[in-house]
Amino acid sequence: MNLKNQNNRRKSRQIKIGDVLVGGDADISVQSMTNTKTTDVKGTLAQIKQLEDAGADIVRVSVPDKDSADAFAKIKKGSNLPLVADIHFDHMMALEAIKGKADCIRINPGNIGKEEKVKQVVSAAKDNGIPIRVGVNAGSLERKLQIKYGEPNADALVESALGHINILQQLNFNDFKLSIKASDVFLTIESYRKIAKLIDQPLHLGITEAGGFRSGTVKSAVGLGALLLDGIGDTLRVSLASDPVDEIKVGWDILKSLKIRSRGINFIACPTCSRMNFDVIGTMNKLESRLEDIKEDLDVAVIGCYVNGPGESKHTSIGVTGGSPKNLIYIDGKPDHKVEGYNLAEHLEKLIRDKVDKIKLDKDSVIVKSN
Ligand code: SF4
């Protein structure tokens, strides 16, 4: 897949979460959050591994109490991915998480309470070189702003964000990123657009509480897509009432659709109609589920007939165009051979895996030559 340059990307300062750069010209990272009990160290680590396999760059873990903070330190030791400790209100949990080697803490300074407590958290973050994520959410807007604005509109969310940011900046702390989320797509977009002009820290995108798998995916794609096309956004989390692994897959699909990042197969498949000459939907379902492990960037076309097949297959590594009595297979955009519909998914899977092996070999030989 040819990636598009994000020429209009908003300029932001760069922060570092573990070994993942966020902001500046760094790749837009994809994150999710574990939903296991944090005290279940084994279960949480297993979920982090699943997220890693799906392509997560960063994972957030809740730290609601001391037992969870103790568990967090153990989880951190076993995780290959940078971990953000999610803290609400209790500054002691933030200090514990920093002690437990968190790579970032999510905490809103305005919600911690006394100034002294904020100072302790900020100075511990500074001493350990850890950034903070400020997370403003329409669902938990401060009461005084709800009264002032009468509703959680974009100005209210921006004022809330600036309030938290102001506390950090008065303590000379600029190493933070910000999210300003709502479950409403319009409100989220407006809020991000406004805050993007006011600060230069990286922005963490998301439509919060977006919904179940289908509705949440659509809302997130529309909202995050609009912002990313504006050049806004340095890292993202798709929030779904679904398996966290789905959040990573959808996050990647959004970035892939916009040609911002690539990972795994980019399928081009027709919507099917009476002209199709093989079971396009069944073939796609099989290929999508069997080829989830592939990380290499590859375009594959699965098209039911000659109306659109040759045109789509021309730009792919592997393509199939439905025909009668046999279907035509394309390799590297050129017609190569014909096969029957029987076992088509298996045949395509083999061709794709062979192609992936070749890509890996070519990459390895480039590395050997350059050494
Ligand atoms: Fe129908 Fe052919 Fe179009 Fe697929 S490519 S939807 S089979 S006309």
Side-chain angles (χ1 to χ4, degrees):
M1 189 197 301
N2 288 326
L3 299 182
K4 293 218 186 294
N5 282 330
Q6 270 195 298
N7 292 330
N8 65 341
R9 186 164 174 193
R10 166 182 166 267
K11 291 197 180 8
S12 61
R13 65 166 77 208
Q14 199 165 65
I15 62 169
K16 208 169 173 213
I17 299 182
D19 56 3
V20 175
L21 296 171
V22 176
D25 59 359
D27 281 340
I28 296 173
S29 43
V30 180
Q31 27 183 318
S32 180
M33 187 166 181
T34 52
N35 63 3
T36 48
K37 285 269 172 224
T38 303
T39 46
D40 173 9
V41 174
K42 213 171 142 206
T44 304
L45 274 172
Q47 193 170 59
I48 291 171
K49 180 74 179 73
Q50 287 173 7
L51 294 169
E52 181 186 351
D53 291 343
D57 298 300
I58 299 167
V59 173
R60 184 153 50 110
V61 178
S62 295
V63 182
D65 50 33
K66 177 75 171 76
D67 288 346
S68 303
D70 294 343
F72 180 90
K74 291 181 193 150
I75 293 165
K76 173 60 197 158
K77 278 189 193 147
S79 168
N80 294 326
L81 294 179
L83 299 185
V84 180
D86 188 83
I87 319 282
H88 286 276
F89 310 115
D90 187 346
H91 83 296
M92 285 309 296
M93 290 311 110
L95 296 175
E96 288 290 335
I98 293 171
K99 245 193 261 164
K101 304 276 181 231
D103 297 292
C104 175
I105 51 166
R106 186 260 170 113
I107 191 162
N108 288 352
N111 299 347
I112 300 178
K114 287 195 184 118
E115 201 185 321
E116 186 44 39
K117 294 180 180 174
V118 182
K119 274 189 186 160
Q120 280 180 34
V121 173
V122 170
S123 93
K126 258 191 204 167
D127 292 349
N128 289 275
I130 295 176
I132 289 177
R133 171 184 158 203
V134 176
V136 171
N137 195 315
S140 52
L141 192 67
E142 297 93 313
R143 210 173 133 60
K144 64 171 191 212
L145 291 175
Q146 286 187 32
I147 293 166
K148 178 175 171 185
Y149 288 94
E151 56 171 355
N153 60 23
D155 289 332
L157 293 183
V158 168
E159 188 170 330
S160 171
L162 292 177
H164 294 299
I165 290 170
N166 192 29
I167 296 171
L168 292 180
Q169 291 186 323
Q170 281 189 349
L171 295 167
N172 264 332
F173 191 88
N174 277 296
D175 204 12
F176 62 88
K177 61 179 176 137
L178 176 85
S179 62
I180 185 160
K181 299 183 181 181
S183 56
D184 178 86
V185 171
F186 288 98
L187 179 52
T188 304
I189 292 174
E190 193 186 347
S191 305
Y192 274 101
R193 282 182 178 157
K194 285 192 168 179
I195 202 74
K197 292 191 186 126
L198 300 174
I199 62 170
D200 71 349
Q201 273 73 17
L203 292 176
H204 164 123
L205 299 187
I207 305 291
T208 195
E209 289 108 31
F213 180 70
R214 191 180 71 184
S215 57
T217 295
V218 173
K219 272 190 215 168
S220 300
V222 171
L224 273 50
L227 289 165
L228 289 165
L229 285 172
D230 273 359
I232 295 173
D234 301 288
T235 181
L236 61 87
R237 186 229 174 156
V238 171
S239 301
L240 300 176
S242 187
D243 186 329
V245 168
D246 290 333
E247 299 188 345
I248 298 298
K249 289 182 185 171
V250 174
W252 269 102
D253 283 345
I254 291 173
L255 294 178
K256 276 160 71 174
S257 308
L258 298 174
K259 299 197 185 241
I260 291 174
R261 282 183 84 182
S262 62
R263 183 181 198 276
I265 298 174
N266 174 43
F267 281 109
I268 297 133
C270 81
T272 73
C273 76
S274 67
R275 286 199 186 88
M276 67 182 160
N277 288 306
F278 66 91
D279 174 15
V280 173
I281 296 174
T283 306
M284 269 306 299
N285 287 343
K286 279 187 190 168
L287 289 177
E288 275 197 328
S289 69
R290 288 183 191 176
L291 297 168
E292 278 191 341
D293 58 303
I294 290 187
K295 298 179 180 65
E296 280 65 28
D297 169 19
L298 207 70
D299 289 329
V300 172
V302 181
I303 311 287
C305 82
Y306 276 82
V307 171
N308 291 320
E312 291 292 359
S313 300
K314 226 193 279 176
H315 308 287
T316 58
S317 298
I318 306 289
V320 59
T321 289
S324 180
K326 288 188 172 178
N327 308 295
L328 180 58
I329 302 288
Y330 286 72
I331 296 184
D332 293 329
K334 295 197 177 61
D336 192 86
H337 60 276
K338 291 192 172 181
V339 290
E340 286 176 358
Y342 175 71
N343 272 356
L344 183 57
E346 289 68 21
H347 184 69
L348 288 169
E349 181 181 355
K350 173 148 186 359
L351 291 174
I352 293 167
R353 290 199 181 278
D354 287 350
K355 187 82 192 162
V356 167
D357 288 345
K358 188 166 176 317
I359 293 172
K360 284 185 191 159
L361 263 179
D362 289 350
K363 260 192 209 157
D364 288 349
S365 73
V366 169
I367 293 168
V368 170
K369 270 186 202 155
S370 65
N371 284 341

